[in-house]
Amino acid sequence: MPQLDPTWFISQFFWLCICFFFMLFLMSKIFIPKIKDILEQRQRKIDDYLVKAHQIKEQAEESLKKYNEALVKATADANEALENARKEMNVYIAKKQDELTQKLNTKLLEGEAQIKETREKALKEVKNISQDWALDIVKKLELTKIDAEDIKKGIEKVVNH
Amino acid sequence: MSNPMEQFNIQPIIPIKVGGYDISFTNSSLFMVLAVVVSVLLFAICLRKRTIVPSLSQSVPEALYEFISNLLKENAGAEALRYFSFIFTIFLFVAFGNLLGLFPYSFTFTSHVAAVGGLSLIALLFNICIGIKKKKWGYWRTFMPNGIPMALAPLIMPIEMISFLSKPFSLTVRLVANMTVGHIMLKIIAGFVLALGVGGVVPVLFNSCIVVFEIFIALLQAFIYTVLSCIYLSDAIHSH
């Protein structure tokens, strides 16, 4: 077997050492640092992006928190404003109702007074007409004992009943 | 049919002799140099324009880096990442050695005991250096597992030493045997192509399938060699 022929052992070992150590030198001094460098750069970039993503996420969460707080505050403010408006409205309605009731009462009183006045006027007219009619009847019946004063009293008595 | 072992013959290209030692530049040396040149060129091209979002070509060395890095972390812990360059180079050197050997008329230096054994020896020496640097004299405890009575030391320590020294041997034999057998099989089947005439199409198709399988084996063996190197490195770094 040529593999076991010791003639070329030293030559092979010599060239192996030269080639291997030369390759080791090139790899360790040139290529491996290049690969290592680019991998580190990539890792740094990825880490940077991850940190940025984390920061953006935190900012977004902070914004969301602020938004929710603002929403809660706005809702509370709106509810308070609504409540105030409701209260003002109730006060206004109550005031208007009072005014209306007062007006209605005044109108009612005026109406009643007017009715009373009309009634009294009508009664007065009824009294006068009744008195005139009664006087005419008395004259036609020639009842001399009954004078105008008696008739007036009699009619007053009937009407006041 | 030519001898299937011929493909493993080493041919000198540039004869060099230093101090009585023959260190000629051979076809084996040529393919070692080619493994370095091809892998370095591939890395240089792929990493020419580096961007944060990687292109397809940039992903290849990055994926290899991540793969070997994870392999080392899983097998030897994060502490072993200091020696990443060494393990990464071992993987690339073996993988490209195996893959280049699959080209027709090429030479597979990873099928040679001297080349792979030399690499395993380098890995072993590397592990010993790390172990001694890290544990100082305590490194000798590597050959004396915890809980073993001192009385058994004369028996256990030689066994542990043999076990320790057999690691590069097993690494070497595994890779060499796999590469040798695969290439012999390819050569034998290829020999049938001309012999069978028109029917030679069958061994061609069969060989095509085996080449695909051999590509898989080439990468798998490089992976196994690297995993075992990581485990041996872990033994050197951590306590027994």
Side-chain angles (χ1 to χ4, degrees):
Chain A
M1 273 180 88
Q3 283 97 326
L4 301 175
D5 180 8
T7 315
W8 304 107
F9 275 13
I10 292 172
S11 159
Q12 285 198 85
F13 186 68
F14 173 76
W15 286 102
L16 170 88
C17 288
I18 289 179
C19 292
F20 180 77
F21 286 111
F22 181 64
M23 191 172 172
L24 180 61
F25 173 76
L26 290 178
M27 285 296 159
S28 58
K29 295 291 170 192
I30 301 171
F31 297 112
I32 291 173
K34 279 184 179 178
I35 301 173
K36 206 174 173 181
D37 180 54
I38 194 74
L39 288 176
E40 278 172 0
Q41 274 184 42
R42 189 176 302 146
Q43 195 55 48
R44 269 202 301 275
K45 201 95 176 165
I46 290 168
D47 289 345
D48 282 353
Y49 283 143
L50 281 175
V51 168
K52 274 183 190 169
H54 189 68
Q55 282 173 351
I56 290 167
K57 192 187 165 206
E58 277 182 353
Q59 281 175 1
E61 279 173 356
E62 190 66 28
S63 300
L64 187 69
K65 197 178 161 191
K66 278 182 184 169
Y67 167 77
N68 283 334
E69 281 172 4
L71 193 69
V72 168
K73 193 174 176 293
T75 309
D77 287 351
N79 284 339
E80 196 183 331
L82 204 66
E83 192 60 34
N84 288 341
R86 192 180 289 128
K87 279 178 186 167
E88 279 177 18
M89 192 64 81
N90 286 342
V91 170
Y92 178 77
I93 289 168
K95 192 181 162 193
K96 284 288 171 190
Q97 265 182 342
D98 285 351
E99 280 176 15
L100 198 65
T101 309
Q102 216 169 356
K103 264 185 189 175
L104 282 173
N105 285 339
T106 312
K107 289 267 182 196
L108 204 64
L109 288 173
E110 280 175 7
E112 278 175 356
Q114 209 172 354
I115 290 166
K116 195 179 174 186
E117 192 184 343
T118 311
R119 189 169 157 262
E120 279 173 1
K121 207 175 167 184
L123 276 174
K124 201 176 177 182
E125 276 181 21
V126 166
K127 268 189 224 172
N128 291 339
I129 292 166
S130 304
Q131 208 173 331
D132 290 347
W133 283 4
L135 207 58
D136 286 347
I137 292 167
V138 167
K139 274 179 187 173
K140 281 181 183 175
L141 291 174
E142 292 176 355
L143 295 170
T144 50
K145 286 183 179 174
I146 299 169
D147 60 3
E149 195 59 33
D150 293 334
I151 290 168
K152 194 180 174 182
K153 281 180 184 173
I155 287 169
E156 281 288 338
K157 202 176 176 182
V158 170
V159 169
N160 288 337
H161 245 286
Chain B
M1 195 184 289
S2 61
N3 183 358
M5 294 306 283
E6 263 179 30
Q7 61 181 317
F8 302 113
N9 283 343
I10 291 179
Q11 309 290 340
I13 298 170
I14 306 168
I16 306 168
K17 281 209 173 201
V18 176
Y21 294 106
D22 189 351
I23 53 164
S24 302
F25 187 78
T26 61
N27 50 352
S28 174
S29 318
L30 175 69
F31 277 87
M32 286 180 198
V33 171
L34 276 177
V36 176
V37 170
V38 170
S39 55
V40 164
L41 271 179
L42 195 76
F43 269 67
I45 292 165
C46 289
L47 295 171
R48 202 176 60 240
K49 287 177 187 171
R50 295 183 308 281
T51 49
I52 297 287
V53 179
S55 60
L56 186 65
S57 61
Q58 192 189 322
S59 313
V60 176
E62 281 185 14
L64 273 175
Y65 179 96
E66 297 271 1
F67 175 66
I68 302 296
S69 171
N70 289 336
L71 195 74
L72 188 57
K73 247 188 282 182
E74 282 167 18
N75 288 293
E79 199 186 338
L81 284 175
R82 288 171 63 189
Y83 313 109
F84 174 77
S85 305
F86 185 79
I87 297 293
F88 192 59
T89 309
I90 282 184
F91 176 78
L92 289 178
F93 194 67
V94 174
F96 278 94
N98 292 348
L99 290 172
L100 284 175
L102 289 171
F103 285 93
Y105 300 106
S106 66
F107 183 87
T108 320
F109 68 82
T110 46
S111 66
H112 272 258
V113 175
V116 182
L119 192 62
S120 303
L121 194 65
I122 290 170
L124 178 81
L125 292 173
F126 181 74
N127 288 345
I128 291 173
C129 288
I130 289 169
I132 291 173
K133 190 183 162 193
K134 195 170 161 54
K135 301 174 187 168
K136 306 285 184 293
W137 286 105
Y139 184 67
W140 290 104
R141 294 287 301 169
T142 307
F143 306 111
M144 191 64 195
N146 286 337
I148 301 288
M150 279 307 286
L152 286 175
L155 187 69
I156 295 294
M157 278 185 89
I159 293 171
E160 283 292 323
M161 275 185 184
I162 291 167
S163 158
F164 180 77
L165 293 172
S166 68
K167 283 173 182 175
F169 181 74
S170 70
L171 266 180
T172 307
V173 170
R174 187 181 293 108
L175 182 56
V176 168
N178 269 285
M179 289 300 110
T180 306
V181 169
H183 283 77
I184 289 174
M185 196 161 64
L186 278 172
K187 186 81 174 178
I188 289 172
I189 294 165
F192 286 120
V193 176
L194 287 175
L196 291 176
V198 182
V201 118
V202 177
V204 166
L205 290 173
F206 191 61
N207 240 3
S208 307
C209 296
I210 289 181
V211 165
V212 174
F213 181 66
E214 279 300 314
I215 291 171
F216 168 71
I217 292 290
L219 293 171
L220 182 71
Q221 284 307 317
F223 170 73
I224 291 170
Y225 195 93
T226 314
V227 170
L228 292 172
S229 301
C230 290
I231 292 168
Y232 300 155
L233 180 64
S234 172
D235 289 345
I237 294 171
H238 304 113
S239 299
H240 206 293

